[in-house]
């Protein structure tokens, strides 16, 4: 039923167009695609494109078809592909309240009534943990400088409390702040290792989608680009010790420790434990004291 002019015969696997001699050399049972004028075939990539298109227009049908196939499938790798497909498409991303997605809240304290409240709490917990680490470093500070170090810690703690421990970073409803990490629907993308601009594996996750994703997201790291333990905190302790009348720019250290100025969200596989070899900006460690000038 196809017109002969402009029609082509191609290999299914990669779209290679067949000549007569190539056709005769093919082994038996080779899968072929017959293309009409203007049609194209890029092999398996074309199947993937059609599958991705179906996600948007026929998601429920794709899930139902995958479930039916999974009941008869015996190959482990194909089982995993189908199971992952069903899992990722059977999400309840837009649900926010506990009554609309009870399974998402399984294992959580009853005080959490919506997803965003728990996600804010999750981010706050990470920030509180960083603050405890920085405060706990005081035993390594020179005894003569410990009071000054405590003063800096008090200022940082007060600043964190005023911004609710930056819990908005994980809250999809706080668009202005969360936009630097996620979309309004709650998708987070791995920002890559500290020495790369992008994640090479294109990791992404939506902890709002289902319980499993919520739990897995807890393994993602807010990685300090200039390292907290190796660089920032020791530099802060040294600055307090050697200030010699100068004022320590604690807000600079606060930005490095608790804000997205120095934090990148990375998948655990992209979190490099090796030394980053980055240091604090020496020109920002101290700041000039404000002076009161008398008017004559």
């Amino acid at each position: 039923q196809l017109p002969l002019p402009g029609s082509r015969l191609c290999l299914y696997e990669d779209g290679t167009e067949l000549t007569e001699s190539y056709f005769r050399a093919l082994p038996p049972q080779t899968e072929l695609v017959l293309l009409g004028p203007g049609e194209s075939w890029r092999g398996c990539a074309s199947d993937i494109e059609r599958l991705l298109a179906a996600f948007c227009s026929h998601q429920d049908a794709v899930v139902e078809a995958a479930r039916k196939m999974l009941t008869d499938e015996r190959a482990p790798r194909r089982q995993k592909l189908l199971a992952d497909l069903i899992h990722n498409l059977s999400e309840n991303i837009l649900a926010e309240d506990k009554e609309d997605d009870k399974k998402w809240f399984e294992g959580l304290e009853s005080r959490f009534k919506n997803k965003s409240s728990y996600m804010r709490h999750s981010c706050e917990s990470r920030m509180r943990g960083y603050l405890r680490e920085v405060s706990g470093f005081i035993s390594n500070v020179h005894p003569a400088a410990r009071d000054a170090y405590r003063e800096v810690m008090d200022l940082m703690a007060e600043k964190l409390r005023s911004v609710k421990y930056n819990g908005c970073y994980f809250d999809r409803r706080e668009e202005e702040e969360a936009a630097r990490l996620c979309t309004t629907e709650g998708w987070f993308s791995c920002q890559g290792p500290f020495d790369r601009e992008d994640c090479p594996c294109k990791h992404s996750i939506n902890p709002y989608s289902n319980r499993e994703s919520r739990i897995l997201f807890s393994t993602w790291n807010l990685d300090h680009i200039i390292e907290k333990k190796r660089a920032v905190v020791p530099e802060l302790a040294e600055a307090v010790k050697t200030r010699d009348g100068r004022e320590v720019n604690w807000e600079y250290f606060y930005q490095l420790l608790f804000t997205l100025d120095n934090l990148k969200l990375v998948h655990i596989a992209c979190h490099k434990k090796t030394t980053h070899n980055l240091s604090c900006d020496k020109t920002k460690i101290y700041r000039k004291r404000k002076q009161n000038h008398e008017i004559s």
Side-chain angles (χ1 to χ4, degrees), residues 239-259:
V240 171
K241 173 186 173 184
T242 60
R243 66 190 187 281
D244 191 24
R246 293 171 293 181
E247 183 179 355
V248 175
N249 187 6
W250 67 269
E251 290 178 319
Y252 169 63
F253 289 100
Y254 171 89
Q255 289 175 336
L256 294 181
L257 291 167
F258 305 110
T259 77

Side-chain angles (χ1 to χ4, degrees), residues 144-156:
R146 288 178 182 174
D147 287 343
Y149 189 86
R150 288 190 186 94
E151 291 178 8
V152 170
M153 288 297 95
D154 289 342
L155 290 169
M156 289 187 177

Side-chain angles (χ1 to χ4, degrees), residues 108-109 111-112 116-133 160 163-170 218 220 222 224 228 257-258 263:
L108 299 182
E109 297 177 36
R111 62 189 174 102
F112 298 113
S116 291
S117 65
Y118 173 75
M119 293 304 296
R120 283 197 304 272
H121 168 76
S122 175
C123 189
E124 290 171 12
S125 297
R126 298 193 192 202
M127 295 299 173
R128 290 175 187 271
Y130 296 159
L131 182 62
R132 285 194 296 271
E133 286 183 59
L160 275 174
V163 295
K164 298 181 180 179
Y165 293 88
N166 288 326
C168 56
Y169 289 163
F170 286 178
S218 65
W220 284 46
L222 269 175
H224 289 84
K228 176 176 77 273
L257 291 167
F258 305 110
L263 288 169

Side-chain angles (χ1 to χ4, degrees), residues 217-275:
F217 186 64
S218 65
T219 67
W220 284 46
N221 297 111
L222 269 175
D223 189 20
H224 289 84
I225 304 169
I226 302 175
E227 293 173 282
K228 176 176 77 273
K229 291 182 179 179
R230 292 190 178 105
V232 182
V233 178
E235 188 70 65
L236 173 60
E238 183 65 19
V240 171
K241 173 186 173 184
T242 60
R243 66 190 187 281
D244 191 24
R246 293 171 293 181
E247 183 179 355
V248 175
N249 187 6
W250 67 269
E251 290 178 319
Y252 169 63
F253 289 100
Y254 171 89
Q255 289 175 336
L256 294 181
L257 291 167
F258 305 110
T259 77
L260 298 182
D261 289 349
N262 190 48
L263 288 169
K264 292 180 70 174
L265 186 65
V266 295
H267 186 283
I268 189 171
C270 292
H271 185 214
K272 292 190 176 181
K273 297 292 187 180
T274 55
T275 304

Side-chain angles (χ1 to χ4, degrees), residues 9 41-42:
L9 199 60
W41 181 258
R42 298 193 299 119

Side-chain angles (χ1 to χ4, degrees), residues 17 87 116 159 182:
E17 187 172 342
H87 171 76
S116 291
K159 175 71 173 178
C182 72

